[in-house]
Amino acid sequence: LSAGTYLEVGSGGPGTLDVTGGARASSATTTALGVLPGSVGTVNITGNGSSLEVGTSLLVGYQSTGILTASNGGSVTVAGSLELGSLPGGSGAMVVNPGGTLRVGGANGIRTGTGEAGFYLNGGTLEVHQANLTTTLPVILNNISTLKADNLNAVLSGPLS
């Protein structure tokens, strides 16, 4: 599934996108989950080689509820930034389960807007991608997880629990 420039899941009501079995979903610019008030956007990336690739911005919980999960060989790659809980009323959760990978980099590469945010490393991998990563967002560790930085740096200055 290639959305061209913009991909929305849960825009005017509930929406779910399951990317499995090595499939790929992508947007050249922005992917948004839980776009309009009262909607819910859920994206599950699971299975070896399954991926979501975002060109600039990944907005999880824009004005409503958004949940993005990567697990069991699934990966999410963001060339720009990951924002959780973008606007008031927005509630975004990024969950990286065992075997899942989130690739992101850049100054404030993982951030919260003015809504609610949760970033959960549940045994998956956070991989610094393309540029040094900084974030002040709290990270919740629920299992043994991996931070992969190769020749880049990661500064996680938010609370770690």
Side-chain angles (χ1 to χ4, degrees), residues 16-97:
T16 300
L17 174 63
D18 291 319
V19 181
T20 63
R24 176 180 173 264
S26 66
S27 66
T29 60
T30 302
T31 295
L33 286 61
V35 179
L36 297 176
S39 61
V40 177
T42 304
V43 175
N44 301 299
I45 312 297
T46 186
N48 286 337
S50 301
S51 66
L52 171 63
E53 299 170 10
V54 180
T56 55
S57 299
L58 176 54
L59 310 172
V60 181
Y62 186 69
Q63 291 187 82
S64 196
T65 301
I67 303 165
L68 175 58
T69 304
S71 58
N72 299 322
S75 67
V76 175
T77 303
V78 185
S81 63
L82 167 61
E83 184 173 85
L84 304 170
S86 300
L87 298 176
S91 177
M94 177 72 221
V95 182
V96 187
N97 286 327

